[in-house]
Amino acid sequence: MIEIKKVSKRFDTLVVLDNVSFRVRDAHLVVILGPSGTGKTVLLKSIIGIQPLDEGEIFFDGVPVHKARDSEMYEVRKKIGFVFQGTALFDSMTVCENIALPLVEHTSQSSQAIRERVNNILDIIGLPGKGGLYPRSLSGGMKRLVAIGRALSLNPTYLFYDEPTTGLDPIMRDRVVALIIQLRKEYKKSGIVVTHDLDTAQAVGDDIYMLKKGKISKLEQIKKEEYDV
Protein backbone atom coordinates (compact mmCIF):
# COMPACT_ATOMS: atom_id res chain seq x y z
CA MET A 1 0.00 0.00 0.00
CA ILE A 2 1.09 3.54 -0.74
CA GLU A 3 0.17 6.30 1.69
CA ILE A 4 0.46 9.98 0.84
CA LYS A 5 0.02 12.21 3.88
CA LYS A 6 -0.35 16.00 3.80
CA VAL A 7 2.01 16.51 0.86
CA SER A 8 2.67 20.08 -0.26
CA LYS A 9 4.83 21.51 -3.05
CA ARG A 10 5.40 25.09 -4.11
CA PHE A 11 7.37 26.71 -6.91
CA ASP A 12 8.12 30.23 -5.70
CA THR A 13 4.66 31.64 -4.95
CA LEU A 14 2.78 29.01 -6.98
CA VAL A 15 1.19 26.34 -4.78
CA VAL A 16 1.06 23.16 -6.86
CA LEU A 17 0.17 20.64 -4.13
CA ASP A 18 -1.59 21.81 -1.00
CA ASN A 19 -1.93 19.31 1.86
CA VAL A 20 -2.61 16.34 -0.47
CA SER A 21 -3.50 13.03 1.19
CA PHE A 22 -4.75 9.70 -0.17
CA ARG A 23 -3.81 6.02 -0.20
CA VAL A 24 -3.41 3.34 -2.85
CA ARG A 25 -4.72 0.03 -1.61
CA ASP A 26 -3.27 -3.29 -2.74
CA ALA A 27 -4.50 -4.38 -6.20
CA HIS A 28 -6.33 -1.08 -6.64
CA LEU A 29 -5.92 1.80 -9.06
CA VAL A 30 -6.22 5.39 -7.95
CA VAL A 31 -6.99 7.96 -10.62
CA ILE A 32 -5.89 11.56 -10.19
CA LEU A 33 -8.16 13.56 -12.45
CA GLY A 34 -7.56 17.17 -13.30
CA PRO A 35 -6.79 19.78 -15.94
CA SER A 36 -3.47 19.95 -17.73
CA GLY A 37 -0.89 21.90 -15.76
CA THR A 38 -2.55 21.35 -12.42
CA GLY A 39 0.33 19.38 -10.88
CA LYS A 40 -0.57 15.75 -11.56
CA THR A 41 2.86 14.87 -12.94
CA VAL A 42 4.55 16.80 -10.12
CA LEU A 43 2.59 14.63 -7.70
CA LEU A 44 3.79 11.42 -9.38
CA LYS A 45 7.40 12.60 -9.36
CA SER A 46 7.11 13.58 -5.71
CA ILE A 47 5.77 10.15 -4.79
CA ILE A 48 8.75 8.35 -6.35
CA GLY A 49 11.25 10.81 -4.90
CA ILE A 50 12.29 12.60 -8.09
CA GLN A 51 10.69 15.86 -6.99
CA PRO A 52 11.50 16.81 -3.36
CA LEU A 53 8.61 17.67 -1.07
CA ASP A 54 8.20 20.90 0.83
CA GLU A 55 6.00 19.18 3.41
CA GLY A 56 4.37 15.81 3.99
CA GLU A 57 5.07 12.10 4.23
CA ILE A 58 5.00 9.22 1.74
CA PHE A 59 5.07 5.54 2.65
CA PHE A 60 5.54 2.51 0.38
CA ASP A 61 4.54 -0.64 2.23
CA GLY A 62 5.37 1.15 5.46
CA VAL A 63 8.75 2.48 4.30
CA PRO A 64 8.96 6.29 4.79
CA VAL A 65 10.39 7.23 1.41
CA HIS A 66 10.27 10.96 2.15
CA LYS A 67 13.27 10.44 4.40
CA ALA A 68 14.75 7.30 2.85
CA ARG A 69 18.45 6.98 2.11
CA ASP A 70 19.54 6.52 -1.51
CA SER A 71 19.98 2.77 -1.04
CA GLU A 72 16.48 2.46 0.44
CA MET A 73 14.97 4.58 -2.32
CA TYR A 74 16.65 2.38 -4.92
CA GLU A 75 14.91 -0.68 -3.48
CA VAL A 76 11.55 1.12 -3.43
CA ARG A 77 11.89 2.24 -7.05
CA LYS A 78 12.44 -1.36 -8.16
CA LYS A 79 8.83 -1.92 -7.11
CA ILE A 80 7.58 0.81 -9.46
CA GLY A 81 7.00 0.78 -13.20
CA PHE A 82 6.55 4.25 -14.70
CA VAL A 83 4.71 4.84 -17.98
CA PHE A 84 5.70 8.25 -19.32
CA GLN A 85 3.22 10.39 -21.24
CA GLY A 86 5.64 10.72 -24.15
CA THR A 87 6.54 6.99 -23.90
CA ALA A 88 10.32 7.82 -23.64
CA LEU A 89 11.20 4.92 -25.95
CA PHE A 90 14.65 4.81 -27.52
CA ASP A 91 14.33 5.20 -31.29
CA SER A 92 17.60 3.38 -31.92
CA MET A 93 16.37 0.26 -30.12
CA THR A 94 13.84 -2.31 -31.26
CA VAL A 95 10.66 -2.97 -29.32
CA CYS A 96 12.33 -6.00 -27.70
CA GLU A 97 15.40 -4.00 -26.77
CA ASN A 98 13.30 -1.21 -25.24
CA ILE A 99 11.34 -3.66 -23.12
CA ALA A 100 14.48 -5.59 -22.15
CA LEU A 101 16.49 -2.52 -21.15
CA PRO A 102 15.56 -2.52 -17.42
CA LEU A 103 16.34 -6.24 -17.23
CA VAL A 104 19.73 -5.74 -18.88
CA GLU A 105 20.63 -2.79 -16.65
CA HIS A 106 19.28 -3.98 -13.31
CA THR A 107 19.46 -7.78 -13.30
CA SER A 108 21.97 -10.52 -14.03
CA GLN A 109 19.50 -12.69 -15.92
CA SER A 110 20.73 -14.69 -18.89
CA SER A 111 19.98 -13.61 -22.44
CA GLN A 112 17.61 -16.56 -22.80
CA ALA A 113 15.68 -15.61 -19.65
CA ILE A 114 15.41 -12.02 -20.83
CA ARG A 115 14.13 -13.10 -24.25
CA GLU A 116 11.51 -15.30 -22.60
CA ARG A 117 10.40 -12.48 -20.32
CA VAL A 118 10.17 -10.02 -23.21
CA ASN A 119 8.16 -12.46 -25.33
CA ASN A 120 5.80 -13.00 -22.41
CA ILE A 121 5.34 -9.26 -22.06
CA LEU A 122 4.68 -8.89 -25.81
CA ASP A 123 1.86 -11.40 -25.40
CA ILE A 124 0.47 -9.52 -22.39
CA ILE A 125 0.43 -6.15 -24.17
CA GLY A 126 -1.05 -7.63 -27.33
CA LEU A 127 1.95 -7.17 -29.63
CA PRO A 128 3.27 -10.70 -30.27
CA GLY A 129 5.69 -10.84 -33.17
CA LYS A 130 6.33 -7.08 -33.09
CA GLY A 131 9.57 -7.24 -31.12
CA GLY A 132 11.83 -6.58 -34.08
CA LEU A 133 10.16 -3.31 -35.05
CA TYR A 134 11.52 0.12 -34.22
CA PRO A 135 9.43 2.81 -32.50
CA ARG A 136 9.38 4.97 -35.65
CA SER A 137 7.30 2.30 -37.40
CA LEU A 138 4.69 2.14 -34.63
CA SER A 139 1.52 4.14 -34.16
CA GLY A 140 1.19 6.35 -31.12
CA GLY A 141 -1.04 3.79 -29.44
CA MET A 142 1.37 0.94 -30.08
CA LYS A 143 4.19 3.01 -28.62
CA ARG A 144 2.06 3.47 -25.51
CA LEU A 145 1.60 -0.30 -25.25
CA VAL A 146 5.36 -0.83 -25.57
CA ALA A 147 5.95 1.78 -22.85
CA ILE A 148 3.63 -0.19 -20.57
CA GLY A 149 5.51 -3.35 -21.51
CA ARG A 150 8.83 -1.80 -20.53
CA ALA A 151 7.32 -0.69 -17.21
CA LEU A 152 6.33 -4.32 -16.62
CA SER A 153 9.76 -5.79 -17.33
CA LEU A 154 10.98 -5.94 -13.72
CA ASN A 155 7.58 -7.22 -12.54
CA PRO A 156 6.87 -4.20 -10.32
CA THR A 157 4.29 -4.11 -7.57
CA TYR A 158 3.09 -0.67 -8.62
CA LEU A 159 2.47 0.94 -11.99
CA PHE A 160 2.28 4.70 -12.46
CA TYR A 161 0.66 5.96 -15.65
CA ASP A 162 1.11 9.57 -16.78
CA GLU A 163 -1.74 10.46 -19.18
CA PRO A 164 -1.79 6.95 -20.73
CA THR A 165 -4.57 7.62 -23.27
CA THR A 166 -3.89 11.23 -24.28
CA GLY A 167 -3.93 11.74 -28.05
CA LEU A 168 -5.07 8.21 -28.90
CA ASP A 169 -7.87 7.32 -31.29
CA PRO A 170 -10.92 5.63 -29.68
CA ILE A 171 -9.93 2.09 -30.72
CA MET A 172 -6.40 2.34 -29.36
CA ARG A 173 -7.60 4.18 -26.28
CA ASP A 174 -9.89 1.21 -25.53
CA ARG A 175 -6.94 -1.19 -25.97
CA VAL A 176 -4.79 0.74 -23.52
CA VAL A 177 -7.65 1.03 -21.03
CA ALA A 178 -8.36 -2.72 -21.31
CA LEU A 179 -4.69 -3.49 -20.67
CA ILE A 180 -4.55 -1.26 -17.59
CA ILE A 181 -7.64 -3.02 -16.22
CA GLN A 182 -6.21 -6.45 -17.06
CA LEU A 183 -2.97 -5.69 -15.24
CA ARG A 184 -4.89 -4.70 -12.16
CA LYS A 185 -7.34 -7.61 -12.20
CA GLU A 186 -5.19 -10.51 -13.42
CA TYR A 187 -1.75 -9.44 -12.25
CA LYS A 188 -2.79 -7.47 -9.12
CA LYS A 189 -0.84 -4.38 -10.15
CA SER A 190 -1.67 -1.48 -7.86
CA GLY A 191 -0.98 1.99 -9.08
CA ILE A 192 -1.83 5.56 -9.93
CA VAL A 193 -3.24 6.90 -13.19
CA VAL A 194 -3.08 10.63 -13.79
CA THR A 195 -5.32 11.88 -16.57
CA HIS A 196 -7.54 14.72 -17.69
CA ASP A 197 -9.74 12.28 -19.62
CA LEU A 198 -13.02 11.60 -17.86
CA ASP A 199 -13.82 8.37 -19.75
CA THR A 200 -10.42 6.87 -18.89
CA ALA A 201 -10.83 7.85 -15.25
CA GLN A 202 -14.24 6.23 -14.98
CA ALA A 203 -13.09 3.08 -16.80
CA VAL A 204 -9.97 2.26 -14.78
CA GLY A 205 -10.33 3.90 -11.39
CA ASP A 206 -11.22 2.09 -8.19
CA ASP A 207 -10.87 5.42 -6.40
CA ILE A 208 -11.01 8.73 -8.28
CA TYR A 209 -9.68 12.03 -6.97
CA MET A 210 -9.86 15.50 -8.44
CA LEU A 211 -6.71 17.64 -8.21
CA LYS A 212 -7.43 21.28 -8.87
CA LYS A 213 -5.70 24.43 -7.66
CA GLY A 214 -3.45 22.31 -5.45
CA LYS A 215 -6.30 20.70 -3.53
CA ILE A 216 -7.39 17.08 -3.81
CA SER A 217 -10.86 15.69 -3.19
CA LYS A 218 -12.35 12.24 -3.64
CA LEU A 219 -15.12 11.93 -6.20
CA GLU A 220 -17.94 9.52 -5.46
CA GLN A 221 -19.80 10.31 -8.69
CA ILE A 222 -18.85 12.23 -11.81
CA LYS A 223 -21.36 13.89 -14.09
CA LYS A 224 -20.04 14.92 -17.49
CA GLU A 225 -22.08 18.09 -17.56
CA GLU A 226 -20.47 19.14 -14.25
CA TYR A 227 -16.92 18.18 -15.21
CA ASP A 228 -14.96 21.23 -16.24
CA VAL A 229 -11.17 21.13 -16.63
Side-chain angles (χ1 to χ4, degrees):
M1 183 169 65
I2 305 172
E3 295 181 274
I4 291 87
K5 297 183 177 181
K6 299 181 178 179
V7 164
S8 294
K9 181 65 185 177
R10 302 172 185 85
F11 295 101
D12 295 325
T13 59
L14 177 63
V15 179
V16 179
L17 303 173
D18 186 6
N19 203 34
V20 169
S21 297
F22 64 94
R23 65 176 55 183
V24 182
R25 295 173 289 161
D26 292 342
H28 280 68
L29 283 175
V30 166
V31 170
I32 307 298
L33 185 66
S36 298
T38 198
K40 302 186 301 295
T41 300
V42 171
L43 176 59
L44 281 189
K45 290 180 177 179
S46 296
I47 292 172
I48 64 177
I50 295 175
Q51 184 74 60
L53 302 175
D54 292 331
E55 300 170 9
E57 300 175 315
I58 298 173
F59 298 86
F60 273 80
D61 301 324
V63 177
V65 299
H66 55 284
K67 57 182 180 181
R69 296 188 297 270
D70 288 345
S71 59
E72 294 171 321
M73 199 66 222
Y74 176 76
E75 292 302 315
V76 168
R77 285 176 181 157
K78 288 197 296 186
K79 298 181 178 182
I80 304 166
F82 200 106
V83 181
F84 296 90
Q85 180 177 351
T87 72
L89 300 177
F90 291 96
D91 292 334
S92 60
M93 294 182 174
T94 65
V95 166
C96 276
E97 290 168 339
N98 269 283
I99 294 173
L101 185 60
L103 294 165
V104 173
E105 290 193 338
H106 300 292
T107 76
S108 57
Q109 293 184 32
S110 67
S111 297
Q112 178 63 28
I114 290 175
R115 281 195 298 271
E116 291 175 359
R117 175 62 178 161
V118 170
N119 286 333
N120 177 250
I121 289 172
L122 288 172
D123 288 338
I124 292 172
I125 65 176
L127 295 176
K130 304 294 185 183
L133 299 178
Y134 287 86
R136 61 180 174 272
S137 66
L138 304 178
S139 68
M142 291 174 70
K143 289 180 183 178
R144 209 68 58 89
L145 293 172
V146 175
I148 294 173
R150 184 178 58 190
L152 284 171
S153 61
L154 294 174
N155 194 25
T157 303
Y158 304 102
L159 288 170
F160 287 2
Y161 305 87
D162 190 0
E163 297 283 4
T165 58
T166 295
L168 301 184
D169 63 70
I171 293 175
M172 189 54 73
R173 173 198 164 276
D174 289 347
R175 282 186 65 180
V176 171
V177 165
L179 177 59
I180 292 172
I181 294 171
Q182 177 190 4
L183 293 174
R184 194 263 294 167
K185 288 185 175 180
E186 294 185 22
Y187 298 92
K188 308 303 180 185
K189 300 298 182 185
S190 307
I192 299 174
V193 180
V194 302
T195 183
H196 66 270
D197 182 70
L198 177 60
D199 291 332
T200 296
Q202 291 178 310
V204 306
D206 295 298
D207 298 305
I208 302 176
Y209 294 84
M210 172 69 79
L211 180 64
K212 202 168 186 179
K213 296 181 179 179
K215 295 287 189 179
I216 198 167
S217 57
K218 189 171 184 179
L219 302 179
E220 301 299 337
Q221 184 176 8
I222 307 173
K223 296 181 181 179
K224 285 191 175 183
E225 61 271 18
E226 297 176 355
Y227 179 63
D228 178 19
V229 298

